[in-house]
Amino acid sequence: MKPNNNPFLFFIILTSSFCFGQMKSYSKKIELKGIENQWHTIQLPNEVFQNMNSNLTDIRVYGVTATDTIEAPYIHNVSKAIDANSFISFNLLNTVNNAKGYFYTYEVQENETINEIKLSFKDSNFNWLVTLQGSQNQQEWFTLLDDYRILSIMNDQTDYSFTTLKFSDANFKFYRLLIKSPEKPNLESVKILKKAKKAPQYHDYTVSSFNVSQEEKNTIINVDLKSRAPLNLLELSVDDKIDYYRPITIQYLVDSVNTDKGYHHNYRTMATRTLSSIEENSFQLPGTMAQKLRIIVSDNDNKPLKFSNINLKGYIHSLTTRFTEPATYFLVYGKTNDKAPNYDIAKTSISIPENISSLQFGDTTYIPKPIIETTQPLFENQWWLWSILGVIILLLGYFTIGMMKKEI
């Protein structure tokens, strides 16, 4: 007797339909080219962020065969900076002062390279210049920093401090710090460290326009990007050569509502920082998806600053993807409220080859959605309905009059 395969055939058809349905729930796809090995890297192009959700969870890699759709797992990588800070042990040898200021001499216990010293003070308002020197024998001293400014400002308008000494890698047994202050600083703690940092890699996003205006005691900078993108770094170029310390608020446009008085723009704050003349005006942002920004600089009673340029950047997003079956593969994206995929390769320790190649992209196309057929009403024009009602009323009147005549 020939076995009945109908249940298995039904299961295969149902599974295939489900896979194809999953892919059709996304808005766009890009064909992936150059798949030759099991592992490849897919560097997300800027254009995909325009249609992705804010959490970047609606990314899939699907392979299409003659009978099925395959989902390829991936690991989502972000080109963030890698910090490996090492705190160095040291001893305070002496504290002396003279007409120049207050000297602090430290001995590093081991042969270590350092490039940063963090100072913490109990003082809340100060503006001091410091000199940092290094020596191997306390006889010959070499200058690492000279007239390096540290300061703290705390009042009703500003709460800002900058007390970290940053310098090129140095390897000395002794370090001497001079704080040029007429009064003894209340130095609370000192941390000596080597800040080993792998710099992040960024995409540069094109600023289509930015304009500067004044509102009361604030400078308002409106920035438009060419397209929506995940932003991680804002760089401001200030032309003024004076000293300045001004609070800034960085906002992004959430939505716009059309009212009787025109469009009302709703902004949300992504970061608050301090614009300072002694630091680089480069601000880390929390990876917010945005196309329009508004930067509010609090000038208080000061003259507004002049801004000549604005740069916006974002981390590079890439997918380390595993391909196990031959198929035509697509990068698929664009699905509101989609959840992040749950892949084993993102949780377990898997041996991934080094120097895996990046894939090339084909054309970007919209994914067609199934057409939902709707039953049309029998009569779309209301005049037909009124005409039929009129005929029915006339017929009822005719028969009623006829019956009344018969009774008479």
Side-chain angles (χ1 to χ4, degrees):
M1 182 176 179
K2 187 176 180 180
N4 187 359
N5 294 326
N6 287 339
F8 299 99
L9 181 62
F10 174 77
F11 175 77
I12 293 172
I13 294 173
L14 180 64
T15 304
S16 300
S17 300
F18 174 76
C19 292
F20 281 107
Q22 285 287 93
M23 186 169 174
K24 288 182 179 179
S25 64
Y26 295 84
S27 62
K28 285 189 175 183
K29 63 180 180 180
I30 307 176
E31 184 177 354
L32 301 174
K33 297 185 176 182
I35 300 174
E36 298 176 349
N37 303 307
Q38 184 180 31
W39 292 94
H40 285 285
T41 296
I42 304 170
Q43 184 172 312
L44 298 183
N46 291 356
E47 64 184 80
V48 305
F49 301 121
Q50 183 68 29
N51 298 95
M52 291 176 61
N53 64 35
S54 298
N55 297 322
L56 306 182
T57 55
D58 54 333
I59 314 171
R60 300 294 185 273
V61 179
Y62 285 121
V64 179
T65 68
T67 59
D68 201 0
T69 298
I70 309 159
E71 185 169 351
Y74 64 80
I75 300 172
H76 188 172
N77 305 303
V78 183
S79 61
K80 295 181 179 179
I82 299 176
D83 294 325
N85 297 340
S86 301
F87 289 94
I88 309 301
S89 300
F90 64 94
N91 294 320
L92 174 63
L93 296 183
N94 57 58
T95 301
V96 296
N97 68 288
N98 59 20
K100 293 182 179 179
Y102 290 81
F103 292 84
Y104 304 84
T105 304
Y106 304 98
E107 180 185 10
V108 176
Q109 295 180 358
E110 298 180 4
N111 183 18
E112 295 284 357
T113 299
I114 71 170
N115 53 21
E116 193 169 295
I117 298 178
K118 292 180 178 291
L119 306 176
S120 178
F121 297 90
K122 291 183 179 179
D123 307 82
S124 58
N125 285 283
F126 58 84
N127 185 1
W128 298 321
L129 298 177
V130 303
T131 296
L132 178 66
Q133 295 178 315
S135 175
Q136 299 293 1
N137 52 21
Q138 296 195 78
Q139 301 297 319
E140 185 179 13
W141 291 93
F142 300 90
T143 301
L144 301 174
L145 296 172
D146 189 24
D147 285 346
Y148 187 93
R149 176 174 290 181
I150 60 173
L151 61 85
S152 173
I153 304 173
M154 185 178 294
N155 53 41
D156 294 338
Q157 300 175 344
T158 304
D159 184 1
Y160 172 76
S161 65
F162 178 73
T163 58
T164 300
L165 311 183
K166 299 180 180 181
F167 47 92
S168 301
D169 289 355
N171 192 324
F172 294 99
K173 185 171 181 60
F174 303 96
Y175 292 91
R176 185 169 65 187
L177 173 66
L178 166 61
I179 300 178
K180 299 177 182 180
S181 168
E183 298 179 356
K184 185 177 181 179
N186 293 311
L187 184 57
E188 187 174 26
S189 67
V190 177
K191 294 180 180 179
I192 298 177
L193 63 146
K194 177 174 182 179
K195 191 168 186 179
K197 191 172 193 178
K198 181 182 177 183
Q201 292 179 301
Y202 290 106
H203 268 311
D204 289 309
Y205 294 114
T206 303
V207 175
S208 57
S209 67
F210 80 92
N211 61 78
V212 182
S213 60
Q214 308 299 323
E215 293 183 11
E216 298 180 350
K217 294 184 178 182
N218 296 323
T219 297
I220 310 297
I221 308 172
N222 290 298
V223 186
D224 285 350
L225 287 173
K226 186 176 180 181
S227 61
R228 183 169 172 261
L231 304 178
N232 299 97
L233 186 70
L234 167 66
E235 296 176 335
L236 294 173
S237 297
V238 181
D239 292 343
D240 301 80
K241 304 302 179 184
I242 60 173
D243 288 338
Y244 54 86
Y245 317 97
R246 304 188 188 182
I248 68 170
T249 302
I250 306 168
Q251 301 177 332
Y252 69 100
L253 181 66
V254 179
D255 56 32
S256 299
V257 180
N258 192 5
T259 66
D260 295 338
K261 298 180 179 180
Y263 278 96
H264 174 71
H265 302 294
N266 296 316
Y267 285 89
R268 184 175 298 164
T269 298
M270 70 167 77
T272 55
R273 300 288 188 266
T274 299
L275 199 66
S276 169
S277 56
I278 66 172
E279 292 187 81
E280 293 183 0
N281 290 319
S282 177
F283 307 102
Q284 289 290 328
L285 303 176
T288 306
M289 193 79 75
Q291 185 171 354
K292 294 179 180 292
L293 296 185
R294 181 171 66 183
I295 304 165
I296 304 172
V297 182
S298 298
D299 297 318
N300 299 312
D301 295 323
N302 302 293
K303 181 181 178 181
L305 299 171
K306 296 179 181 178
F307 298 90
S308 58
N309 194 28
I310 292 178
N311 293 321
L312 284 162
K313 301 180 180 183
Y315 295 140
I316 296 173
H317 294 261
S318 61
L319 312 178
T320 301
T321 314
R322 184 179 66 189
F323 300 91
T324 56
E325 298 181 43
T328 302
Y329 283 91
F330 296 89
L331 177 68
V332 178
Y333 59 96
K335 183 179 179 180
T336 305
N337 300 325
D338 196 18
K339 295 182 179 180
N342 188 359
Y343 299 132
D344 289 337
I345 64 172
K347 300 177 181 179
T348 58
S349 177
I350 294 179
S351 178
I352 300 175
E354 296 182 1
N355 301 321
I356 58 178
S357 60
S358 297
L359 296 181
Q360 304 298 316
F361 298 107
D363 295 331
T364 302
T365 57
Y366 283 94
I367 299 175
K369 299 295 183 291
I371 300 174
I372 301 175
E373 295 185 359
T374 57
T375 304
Q376 299 294 329
L378 182 62
F379 300 105
E380 294 184 353
N381 195 326
Q382 292 185 355
W383 287 107
W384 283 100
L385 181 62
W386 288 112
S387 300
I388 292 173
L389 288 174
V391 171
I392 293 173
I393 292 171
L394 290 174
L395 290 174
L396 288 174
Y398 173 78
F399 287 115
T400 301
I401 294 172
M403 293 176 63
M404 290 174 64
K405 288 182 178 180
K406 289 180 179 180
E407 291 179 1
I408 294 173

